[in-house]
């Protein structure tokens, strides 16, 4: 790039990075609020919470980057045009393509980042989130006891605890268990904690008692200083981790295992998701061309381009919404997947046609003026 093109590129790069960081930060904040129950209700560590939030970054980046690119381009280009810096570029002999080429390079770079993220990074991070959520779901410590609530972690088992301190010590624990032979057993203890022995989870109760009713109605009472309650039956060892459509890599989306019943039922959705991974990055270029059209697609104005930018901004929002709608429609009709590419390409064509329309119009005016002068000289 020449010096002036590098200058234009830097003027666009700064606002783009700032807008991307701001939008992603807002999205991460909303995601953190929705995942806050991981800390409160499921009593996971702050490290697990941060892991889930950070792993959501690739997916949020793919959604927010085209919008950030569009907003940043509008702000930067409007400032450059109203301060007549772009006018100076045209006056210095630069063509329209030379002026917009830094913006188009930036859009292509963003599209490549989105493509790499969508094909490999996003499914990898989604799988990590799914595996972490599965570990939390099958974690006995987080599902067995809810402070101040009666829970039923297993059939015939009722658990209540008054509180859980910072060291994960359970205070004033109550357990009622219905036994298979028709008997019932009730445990109560002042203090308890969940531990692991021989690879299996156990509940260690201290300073408590056990009241057991036999099938014949005979009460047996026992007090203890420490008692170990087996939790291996609550580990849900038969549950299997299942990856959803968003968690799968492109080769899994385009070539599903048709011997699996689930993949047979969702083949259309998987195909639509696969095409969206390739079509989605095109919106970075499409929205950039629309932003360029909003500023460079008309005549120069010292008053700014508020109305034109608002109209193009609304059109950009409609284009992105239509893109999401087309993806949803492709889940039922595979032949509609071509529209996932048509929508951003059509927006790209419209933006470029608006940018170069004024140039064509100027050339036509020059030809008409030359023809008129030639006709007047001949007359």
């Amino acid at each position: 790039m020449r010096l002036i093109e590098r200058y234009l590129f830097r003027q666009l790069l700064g606002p783009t990075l700032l807008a991307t960081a701001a939008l992603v930060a807002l999205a991460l904040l909303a995601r953190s609020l929705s995942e806050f129950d991981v800390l409160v209700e499921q009593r996971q560590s702050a490290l697990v919470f941060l892991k889930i939030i950070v792993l959501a970054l690739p997916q949020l980046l793919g959604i927010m980057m085209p919008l950030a690119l569009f907003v940043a381009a509008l702000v930067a280009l409007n400032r450059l045009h109203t301060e007549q810096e772009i006018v100076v570029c045209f006056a210095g002999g630069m063509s329209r393509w030379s002026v917009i080429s830094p913006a188009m390079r930036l859009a292509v770079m963003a599209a490549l980042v989105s493509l790499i993220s969508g094909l490999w990074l996003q499914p990898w991070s989604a799988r990590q989130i799914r595996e972490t959520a599965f570990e939390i779901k099958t974690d006995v410590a987080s599902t067995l006891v809810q402070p101040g609530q009666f829970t039923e972690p297993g059939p015939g088992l009722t658990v209540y605890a008054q509180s859980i301190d910072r060291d994960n010590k359970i205070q004033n624990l109550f357990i009622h268990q219905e036994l298979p032979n028709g008997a019932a057993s009730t445990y109560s203890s002042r203090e308890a904690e969940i531990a692991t022995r021989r690879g299996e989870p156990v509940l260690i109760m201290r300073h408590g008692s056990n009241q057991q009713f036999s099938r014949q109605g005979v009460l047996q009472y026992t007090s203890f200083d420490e008692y170990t309650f087996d939790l291996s039956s609550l580990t849900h060892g038969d549950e299997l981790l299942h990856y959803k459509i968003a968690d799968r890599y492109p080769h899994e989306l385009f070539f599903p295992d048709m011997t699996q019943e689930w993949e047979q039922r969702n083949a259309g959705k998987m195909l639509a998701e696969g095409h969206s991974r390739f079509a989605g990055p095109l919106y970075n270029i499409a929205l950039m061309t629309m932003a360029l059209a909003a500023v460079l697609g008309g005549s120069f104005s010292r008053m700014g381009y508020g109305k034109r930018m608002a109209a193009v901004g609304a059109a950009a929002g409609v284009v992105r919404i239509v893109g999401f709608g087309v993806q949803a429609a492709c889940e039922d009709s595979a032949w509609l997947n071509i529209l996932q590419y048509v929508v951003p390409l059509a927006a790209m064509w419209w933006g470029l046609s608006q940018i170069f329309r004024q140039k064509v119009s100027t050339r036509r005016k020059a030809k008409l003026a030359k023809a008129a002068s030639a006709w007047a000289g001949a007359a």
Side-chain angles (χ1 to χ4, degrees):
M1 291 187 290
R2 293 183 298 177
L3 180 62
I4 185 63
E5 292 178 355
R6 289 198 297 270
Y7 170 76
L8 295 175
F9 183 85
R10 289 194 301 270
Q11 295 300 309
L12 288 166
L13 180 62
T16 299
L17 295 177
L18 183 61
T20 302
L23 290 177
V24 170
L26 289 176
L28 286 176
L29 178 61
R31 180 64 182 264
S32 64
L33 293 177
S34 65
E35 298 289 346
F36 201 67
D37 61 334
V38 171
L39 289 175
V40 178
E41 297 182 2
Q42 298 174 340
R43 305 193 311 277
Q44 299 295 315
S45 65
L47 186 61
V48 174
F49 175 76
L50 291 176
K51 177 183 177 182
I52 295 175
I53 299 304
V54 172
L55 287 173
L57 185 60
Q59 183 178 7
L60 297 175
L61 190 64
I63 298 174
M64 295 299 175
M65 186 175 290
L67 301 178
L69 195 66
F70 178 77
V71 173
L74 281 180
V75 173
L77 290 170
N78 182 58
R79 183 186 63 79
L80 289 171
H81 210 30
T82 53
E83 293 179 1
Q84 301 188 21
E85 293 186 55
I86 293 181
V87 175
V88 171
C89 292
F90 288 141
M94 292 182 65
S95 64
R96 284 185 174 267
W97 178 254
S98 298
V99 172
I100 70 170
S101 62
M104 297 303 294
R105 287 190 180 99
L106 182 59
V108 171
M109 292 178 184
L112 291 176
V113 171
S114 297
L115 181 63
I116 295 173
S117 175
L119 295 183
W120 293 287
L121 187 57
Q122 180 180 333
W124 175 82
S125 63
R127 289 191 177 206
Q128 296 298 314
I129 293 176
R130 192 75 58 197
E131 292 171 2
T132 304
F134 182 78
E135 292 175 359
I136 294 174
K137 179 182 177 182
T138 56
D139 184 7
V140 175
S142 63
T143 59
L144 179 65
V145 182
Q146 298 294 334
Q149 299 180 16
F150 285 92
T151 60
E152 296 182 358
L157 185 65
T158 304
V159 180
Y160 175 84
Q162 183 180 13
S163 63
I164 301 177
D165 59 22
R166 295 183 178 180
D167 297 328
N168 287 327
K169 300 290 186 180
I170 304 172
Q171 305 297 329
N172 295 327
L173 177 67
F174 169 86
I175 298 177
H176 179 75
Q177 184 180 27
E178 299 288 343
L179 301 177
N181 59 4
S185 182
T186 303
Y187 299 88
S188 60
S189 64
R190 296 180 185 177
E191 184 180 280
E193 64 176 331
I194 297 177
T196 302
R197 289 185 178 177
R198 297 179 181 179
E200 297 293 340
V202 295
L203 179 65
I204 302 175
M205 294 182 284
R206 299 185 179 93
H207 311 298
S209 62
N210 169 244
Q211 300 88 34
Q212 183 170 351
F213 281 93
S214 66
R215 189 174 183 180
Q216 291 76 22
V218 178
L219 174 64
Q220 297 178 355
Y221 178 85
T222 306
S223 61
F224 54 82
D225 292 331
E226 182 175 301
Y227 179 80
T228 302
F229 187 85
D230 186 18
L231 299 176
S232 59
S233 61
L234 305 177
T235 56
H236 306 289
D238 56 339
E239 290 193 28
L240 298 176
L241 176 62
H242 176 71
Y243 292 118
K244 295 186 178 181
I245 295 176
D247 309 337
R248 298 176 182 257
Y249 290 99
H251 68 276
E252 297 173 322
L253 297 172
F254 287 104
F255 306 101
D257 184 4
M258 300 307 290
T259 61
Q260 302 293 328
E261 182 181 357
W262 185 89
E263 299 195 8
Q264 291 178 7
R265 294 197 312 267
N266 296 275
K269 295 180 180 180
M270 296 174 69
L271 184 62
E273 175 67 20
H275 283 287
S276 71
R277 300 277 182 88
F278 288 93
L282 294 176
Y283 284 96
N284 292 279
I285 305 175
L287 295 187
M288 175 59 83
T289 57
M290 296 183 72
L292 290 168
V295 179
L296 302 178
S299 58
F300 174 78
S301 175
R302 293 180 180 271
M303 303 301 294
Y305 309 94
K307 293 182 179 179
R308 201 159 67 201
M309 290 168 61
V312 175
V318 171
V319 167
R320 199 63 192 96
I321 293 173
V322 170
F324 288 125
V326 167
Q327 180 182 352
C330 293
E331 296 177 358
D332 299 322
S333 300
W335 65 272
L336 291 176
N337 282 299
I338 188 65
L339 296 180
Q340 294 202 58
Y341 303 93
V342 170
V343 173
L345 290 176
M348 198 183 309
W349 173 84
W350 178 85
L352 292 175
S353 67
Q354 295 298 311
I355 295 170
F356 291 98
R357 180 183 62 178
Q358 187 175 359
K359 179 179 179 181
V360 174
S361 178
T362 304
R363 287 180 177 177
R364 287 181 178 177
K365 288 181 181 179
K367 289 181 180 179
L368 290 175
K370 184 177 181 180
S373 62
W375 180 80

